[in-house]
Amino acid sequence: MTARSYTRNYTNLTDAIQQTVIEEYLALVDLDADLVEAGIEAQWLIPATAEPEAMKGAVRTAKAIGQVLPSVKRRVVLNQRDGQFRFYPNSPADRFWREELQPLCATLGHIDVPAIAAGSWVPFEAAGKRPVEVVGAEIDQVRAWTGRSRPAAKVLRGDVAAFLASVQAALSREASNGC
């Protein structure tokens, strides 16, 4: 087992434990009854990327939230960060997509989040930045974070801004559809 796969497995285990704790807490405090009593129509966005573990996590989350918060409207967010949801035919990822996640999307509905321009997010992710920090930063700050030239820093920041605008548009379309 490589250090990377060990870290990924540990992170997945930690995420699963945290998710279980949250689910148990929501059931314990009977949040669903409070939401219904208050007349609150809540929505739970369930992110998934085209990576098999992320798809499995999305299905687990959707089922768990459906059990502990049955009044909450759930939507799957198909984040194309790791590529489009197209897989080698009959591969394990393809079977899971066709048999589990795609039917879930058909049942719950989904929001498509396009991928950011190739290579544009990597230097910001490496610097530990959030998209809103990048868009709000001055070019000199972007250059300091990325080590890129002024023109390249402008392009990178512009790519992040365009990505955020496309995400906002997708969420706005969803909101206008009554969510």
Side-chain angles (χ1 to χ4, degrees):
M1 180 179 285
T2 67
R4 181 177 166 88
S5 64
Y6 174 77
T7 302
R8 179 177 287 218
N9 290 339
Y10 177 76
T11 301
N12 291 341
L13 176 62
T14 302
D15 290 346
I17 291 169
Q18 289 172 342
Q19 180 175 330
T20 301
V21 168
I22 291 168
E23 292 161 9
E24 289 174 358
Y25 177 76
L26 295 174
L28 180 67
V29 299
D30 200 13
L31 179 61
D32 195 64
D34 293 339
L35 293 171
V36 171
E37 184 179 317
I40 296 172
E41 294 181 12
Q43 181 170 226
W44 195 286
L45 299 177
I46 305 159
T49 61
E51 194 271 323
E53 285 304 313
M55 292 191 299
K56 290 175 185 175
V59 170
R60 275 192 312 269
T61 298
K63 289 177 181 177
I65 295 306
Q67 290 175 345
V68 297
L69 298 172
S71 72
V72 171
K73 187 174 190 177
R74 297 164 289 151
R75 287 282 183 268
V76 178
V77 177
L78 297 176
N79 182 345
Q80 295 179 23
R81 169 197 167 127
D82 293 330
Q84 295 184 5
F85 287 78
R86 293 187 196 139
F87 306 97
Y88 187 79
N90 218 23
S91 66
D94 181 58
R95 285 194 306 274
F96 191 83
W97 165 251
R98 286 184 291 109
E99 296 169 9
E100 299 282 339
L101 189 56
Q102 192 173 36
L104 183 68
C105 290
T107 301
L108 300 179
H110 69 279
I111 302 167
D112 291 314
V113 173
I116 194 166
S120 294
W121 182 244
V122 174
F124 299 116
E125 186 174 42
K129 300 303 166 194
R130 297 176 307 141
V132 294
E133 290 176 287
V134 172
V135 173
E138 297 293 330
I139 293 301
D140 287 338
Q141 185 61 60
V142 172
R143 292 184 69 201
W145 293 335
T146 64
R148 304 290 171 87
S149 68
R150 185 171 189 76
K154 287 181 176 183
V155 170
L156 290 175
R157 186 180 70 175
D159 287 347
V160 173
F163 168 74
L164 285 180
S166 66
V167 170
Q168 180 62 42
L171 294 174
S172 293
R173 279 191 302 278
E174 183 67 15
S176 68
N177 289 333
C179 300

